[in-house]
């Protein structure tokens, strides 16, 4: 499902996903009822898994192939 958006890589690393989820869960812009971001309107379950996705307020950035970007 995400392979095209992720340049053929099927998913981001589990570590990166955990960091993104934690950052979003602690964010005041996280709409918990719908698991959406109030800043960009994205559904976080999908966005957090995309390699090229970035947080609109720079709590986390994109993951580059073969290395992790641990912004936060």
């Amino acid at each position: 499902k995400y392979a095209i958006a992720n340049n053929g890589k099927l998913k981001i690393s589990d570590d990166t996903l955990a960091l993104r989820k934690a950052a979003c869960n602690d964010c005041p812009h996280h709409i918990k009822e719908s698991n959406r971001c109030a800043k960009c309107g994205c559904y976080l379950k999908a966005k957090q898994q995309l390699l090229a996705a970035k947080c609109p307020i720079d709590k986390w950035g994109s993951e580059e192939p073969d290395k992790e970007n641990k912004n936060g």
Side-chain angles (χ1 to χ4, degrees):
K1 182 174 179 179
Y2 299 113
I4 294 171
N6 288 346
N7 297 321
K9 185 176 173 185
L10 294 178
K11 62 181 256 182
I12 62 170
S13 70
D14 291 339
D15 290 341
T16 298
L17 182 58
L19 290 170
R20 289 178 177 188
K21 285 181 176 181
C24 291
N25 287 341
D26 291 339
C27 182
H29 302 292
H30 180 218
I31 305 169
K32 291 178 180 28
E33 297 80 20
S34 60
N35 197 28
R36 291 181 74 177
C37 174
K39 281 290 191 181
C40 66
C42 289
Y43 287 96
L44 296 173
K45 184 175 181 177
K47 182 173 185 167
Q48 291 166 338
Q49 296 181 50
L50 298 174
L51 286 175
K54 296 180 182 178
C55 169
I57 59 170
D58 296 324
K59 288 189 173 267
W60 51 268
S62 63
E63 181 181 276
E64 297 177 27
D66 300 318
K67 78 177 193 183
E68 291 184 24
N69 182 356
K70 294 185 179 182
N71 292 338

